[in-house]
Amino acid sequence: MTRFFSVPRTLLFAFMLAAFAFVAWLAFQGSTPAGAHAVALSSEPQANQQLAESPGTITVRFSEPVEESVTTVQLWNTVPEEIELAAPTFPTQDSISVQVPEELPSSIYTVIWRNLSTVDGHTWSGSFTFTVLGPNGEVPQGTVPASLQDLAQEPSNKPGTLDSVSRWIVLLGTAIMLGGAAYALIVALPAANVLSEETRQQLRKLSVNTLVVSATIAAFLVLQGSMLQLLVQADKLGGLGKADEILRDTRLGNYLIARQVLLLVSLVAIVFVARAPGRSTLSAALGLLCVSAFGVMFTQSMVSHAAAGNGSFWKISADVTHLLTASLWVGGLIHIGLAMPRWLDELRGVPRTLYAADSFRRFSVLAAFSVLLLLVSGVLSALAQFTALDQLWSTTYGWSLIGKLAAMLPLLAVGALNALYLQPRIVRAGTQLQGAAGDDDNAPSTGPVAELQRLLVNTVRLEAVLGICVLVAVGVLIQLEPPRAAAEAQAQIDAAAAQQPPAESGATVDLAEIDELGHFLSASQVQGLVVSLKITPAKVGNNTFEVGLGSEFGGVGEVQLVRLTFQPEDPSVGPSELDLPLSGSARFSAEATNMSLEGNWDVTATIRRRGEEDVQTDYTIPVTKAGGPAGVSEDTSIWEWPFEDGRSALAIASIAVGLAGVAGVFVWQYRGNIRRNA
């Protein structure tokens, strides 16, 4: 085993670099701008619409891209019993469409949809009803049964207990691994340099053993929290059997798998830490543990609300900085609370005071950086997620943030007591003793310094417990929909409702243009025959062409031919024809690539019936190049600055304060070094 750990340090740093590159690659996977939960923007049929005939398809468009493998649509009648539908298709990344295989009898029908957001990994569901009228336009009797109303109820926007617990467990485990490794690497090992070689080895072994045990338990917590998160999401999407589909086919599942890979790297790093033969190898192993633990934490941010909406780069950066600094601070406190009583017992006299002074001085610098960046990133996150000040007390998210701030106040108070009162006195005592006594002075520690050290043990433990409570608040806050995201989603819903024509009782919707679902849909009446043409997605390339027939006089007759003739606006390109086969009751459809150029196309539908004159109707269709999903603006960007108006000035001021604070900490540290070396 010793030979195994004699591998050159460059190989261990290569592992660290590979882990960091893997995390960076994950950052830009599936970073599609989106809003909050994937709520329904519009549907076809429309909600509460009365139809003269059974719909051929049911389509729902959402506010953001959804995972195809676990997004479903169900159709129920008033019995209630579920109507079997064809396998769903996804015309765009943010819409789902299902065919209705058979004619629906006159009744009231309820559509229930469930989805999983590709962006923030949250599940959502909803429902709407439509009515199929009788042969003479009569409205069917009946209501939606109570049992079906419960099934179709939209979920609460309040965080679920298991959701919050699962994320808190992952946050706690990550903080213990990351904060403990960083404390050992930045504080414990360098601080031991003030001791003799024998005492230094003793302290290093003590720190390593504490870290190995706590990090192993933390890795188990991360694994359990991730499994609980997976099972909770699967249950929301229809049952635990959905777990394998989530892991295999969704962005959330990809990040959960990536988290387990990084967790495995963390366990390997823990073994390296436990078996490292020398200081340099131990430092490399601790660095690898820091990077892999950071990657585990990073997967949390990539499936949170920070990943949704424009400017996700800035919001994710603020979120990652917030979680990183909280992990360094709280995780370091937990490690101190576990290790400090042991080295207080192991060391005596001058060595204990010297080690306590140098370790507390180093941790004070780390804590100062962490608290400063924690506050600045918290302000930036709040500015990005709020659109008005009153949302702080008028929304659940705002009150949860107030609760988090309330939990942080006692934490900051205890931290200030340690940083401004207890630690400076111990550091001064250590500075006075530096060089004044040998390392062999092992007399029992008594007096004011010893009392300060014992008091510091208790206050550090209290600070660690308060930090864990703050992580609970963070776990709850991650689950909530921010006011900005809710406002953006509502704006999308309002815009879609304004674009969608009102549903008329017993009427066919007439849209002689490309609608927000990415379809061309138009209906016209010629010689008593109602002809509707639907083209999906009405882009250059492959399209689905569907012609539906109806008649105000009863049946449409025996249809012998349904043909579409295509003529582009470029006169040098000749026309083409497409015959549509029967695909349902009075419905004819086919897939083809007849519209191969961008621009306006003149399309003529020819209907031939036995014993009747041919019916022809003309359409002009604006055809564009195939692009992104409908409803996602082309000018959206993850790099867009997410602050507007006065919030932009506050954000810039916060960043400036943060940079000034970092510079101040450096100056404070530099002047302290000069005084100690004088």
Side-chain angles (χ1 to χ4, degrees), residues 269-473:
I270 292 171
V271 175
F272 282 5
V273 170
R275 300 284 185 168
R279 169 72 181 273
S280 60
T281 308
L282 177 59
S283 298
L286 288 171
L288 177 60
L289 180 56
C290 286
V291 171
S292 57
F294 170 78
V296 171
M297 181 206 69
F298 189 82
T299 60
Q300 283 274 77
S301 293
M302 289 305 294
V303 288
S304 68
H305 286 295
N310 293 335
S312 56
F313 170 81
W314 303 101
K315 290 187 287 185
I316 289 175
S317 297
D319 190 66
V320 168
T321 302
H322 199 67
L323 293 181
L324 172 62
T325 51
S327 297
L328 291 175
W329 185 21
V330 176
L333 289 171
I334 293 174
H335 185 80
I336 295 173
L338 295 173
M340 186 177 175
R342 296 186 60 189
W343 61 254
L344 282 177
D345 292 338
E346 294 287 341
L347 298 178
R348 290 291 187 271
V350 173
R352 184 166 79 172
T353 301
L354 291 176
Y355 181 74
D358 203 49
S359 61
F360 290 150
R361 178 183 62 80
R362 293 175 182 273
F363 182 70
S364 295
V365 177
L366 178 63
F369 274 117
S370 298
V371 173
L372 177 64
L373 295 179
L374 183 70
L375 295 175
V376 171
S377 59
V379 170
L380 291 175
S381 295
L383 291 174
Q385 301 296 6
F386 287 95
T387 58
L389 181 61
D390 63 347
Q391 291 172 344
L392 189 62
W393 56 83
S394 63
T395 64
T396 304
Y397 187 92
W399 279 110
S400 297
L401 181 59
I402 291 174
K404 175 189 169 184
L405 295 176
M408 283 193 66
L409 289 178
L411 174 62
L412 293 173
V414 176
L417 173 66
N418 290 335
L420 302 178
Y421 179 77
L422 298 179
Q423 292 181 13
R425 282 159 175 76
I426 295 176
V427 170
R428 280 199 299 271
T431 302
Q432 294 169 0
L433 290 173
Q434 190 88 32
D439 189 25
D440 57 351
D441 183 4
N442 291 318
S445 294
T446 58
V449 174
E451 292 299 324
L452 283 174
Q453 291 172 351
R454 296 188 187 96
L455 179 60
L456 192 58
V457 171
N458 295 326
T459 56
V460 164
R461 286 176 171 175
L462 175 60
E463 194 175 355
V465 171
L466 293 173
I468 293 173
C469 294
V470 171
L471 291 181
V472 173

Side-chain angles (χ1 to χ4, degrees), residues 461-614:
R461 286 176 171 175
L462 175 60
E463 194 175 355
V465 171
L466 293 173
I468 293 173
C469 294
V470 171
L471 291 181
V472 173
V474 173
V476 173
L477 202 61
I478 288 176
Q479 294 300 307
L480 289 173
E481 182 182 42
R484 180 189 181 96
E488 290 176 348
Q490 187 59 49
Q492 286 182 284
I493 293 174
D494 294 341
Q499 294 175 7
Q500 193 165 8
E504 299 178 11
S505 176
T508 302
V509 177
D510 186 0
L511 281 178
E513 58 182 14
I514 305 298
D515 69 6
E516 76 282 355
L517 290 172
H519 306 157
F520 177 88
L521 180 62
S522 181
S524 59
Q525 182 174 309
V526 182
Q527 301 175 11
L529 184 66
V530 178
V531 182
S532 64
L533 173 63
K534 178 180 177 182
I535 304 176
T536 306
K539 303 281 187 181
V540 171
N542 192 54
N543 286 277
T544 299
F545 302 93
E546 180 180 341
V547 171
L549 302 178
S551 175
E552 61 179 355
F553 304 117
V556 297
E558 182 182 347
V559 180
Q560 296 178 311
L561 174 70
V562 175
R563 174 176 294 166
L564 297 179
T565 304
F566 302 87
Q567 176 62 61
E569 61 182 344
D570 185 352
S572 64
V573 180
S576 62
E577 294 181 342
L578 175 65
D579 292 342
L580 306 183
L582 183 67
S583 60
S585 177
R587 292 184 183 275
F588 303 80
S589 65
E591 290 188 13
T593 57
N594 293 68
M595 297 192 304
S596 56
L597 298 174
E598 188 175 9
N600 291 326
W601 284 72
D602 292 328
V603 178
T604 300
T606 301
I607 316 299
R608 181 169 299 161
R609 297 175 292 171
R610 185 180 298 276
E612 301 284 348
E613 293 183 3
D614 288 356

Side-chain angles (χ1 to χ4, degrees), residues 15-31 251 255 258 262 291-292 294-299 302 313 316 320 638-639:
F15 278 119
M16 295 169 56
L17 182 61
F20 181 79
F22 180 58
V23 169
W25 174 78
L26 283 174
F28 296 95
Q29 298 304 302
S31 53
R251 182 171 176 268
Y255 276 108
L262 291 166
V291 171
S292 57
F294 170 78
V296 171
M297 181 206 69
F298 189 82
T299 60
M302 289 305 294
F313 170 81
I316 289 175
V320 168
I638 64 172
W639 307 102

